[in-house]
Structure formats: C-alpha cells, structure tokens
Amino acid sequence: MNSYNHYAFGAVVGFFYRRLAGIAPAAPGFRRIAVRPVWLPAVGRVAARFESPVGLIATATDGDANGLTRLTLTVPANTVVEVELLAREWREGGTPIDAHPDIRAFTRAGDLVRFEVGSGAYEFSILP
C-alpha cells in the first residue's frame, strides 16, 4: 500500500487533540466543549488550535515532573467549556479558581477539580 490516507494516522492526530491538548466536543457542534488535558512529561509542552463550527478553540499546556502546571485556554463566543484538571491549587489571573467570578459549577471529586467557563481567554496556573 502506498497511501498515507489511513485511519491509523487519523487516530494519532485525534489522540493529540482529545487527550494531549484536551479539546473534545461535549455537545454537537461544539456548543459545549470538554477540556481535559493529559500531562505526559515525556511529551512536554503541547499547544493546539482547532477551528470549530463556532470559532477558534485553543489550548496550551505546560508542566513538570509533578504534573500539569499551566493551561492556557481560548473559548469561542456563545460556548461553554467544561474543564477537568488534577486537584491542585489552581488560579486564573492570580485568583483561586474556587473564588473566581467567571468560573461556574466548581466541584472537587477525589483527585480532580471540575468547573465551567464561558467565552474568552484564560490562563490557569498553580503556585510554584
């Protein structure tokens, strides 16, 4: 076979977007977006941009041997993002996420934090 147009190549790219960058639809047409990045130290920093039917979705992740330490997120207009991160002392713009006025539906479940944000640009980070 001489073709590179094979499902296996698409599956790898899908893994990059859905798992490493964390971008996946949570509802048809990307009206709700799920962002659940997986940090793999062997891979390192990851950045991805996706032109969805509702606009640009972008994430960038960084971390260290202890896990994810930074998530930069761009959310298109008229959408909601469901974010899921490991439970650490996350902040957005210097404000703890559980006290941030733009963060909704904040919950802790075991070793995870879950919350929602609307359209805009966000930079989530932990204190060193």
Side-chain angles (χ1 to χ4, degrees):
M1 174 168 81
N2 294 330
S3 173
Y4 291 109
N5 188 14
H6 189 271
Y7 170 76
F9 295 117
V12 171
V13 172
F15 173 78
F16 289 158
Y17 275 93
R18 282 188 304 277
R19 301 304 294 147
L20 296 179
I23 300 171
F30 283 90
R31 289 292 174 195
R32 289 187 73 83
I33 303 159
V35 173
R36 298 178 178 101
V38 173
W39 175 252
L40 299 175
V43 173
R45 284 184 266 181
V46 173
R49 299 167 47 95
F50 178 69
E51 283 290 345
S52 76
V54 293
L56 175 70
I57 304 164
T59 64
T61 63
D62 200 359
D64 57 26
N66 295 321
L68 189 68
T69 59
R70 182 176 307 275
L71 170 66
T72 304
L73 175 62
T74 302
V75 182
N78 303 314
T79 60
V80 174
V81 173
E82 303 166 359
V83 180
E84 183 178 281
L85 300 169
L86 287 177
R88 298 177 84 178
E89 296 301 316
W90 290 99
R91 295 178 174 272
E92 200 290 318
T95 304
I97 59 172
D98 57 352
H100 198 286
D102 295 334
I103 294 175
R104 302 180 300 271
F106 179 85
T107 61
R108 286 186 189 270
D111 63 346
L112 297 174
V113 292
R114 293 183 179 103
F115 55 92
E116 295 180 350
V117 293
S119 59
Y122 302 91
E123 185 162 328
F124 302 101
S125 59
I126 62 165
L127 293 176

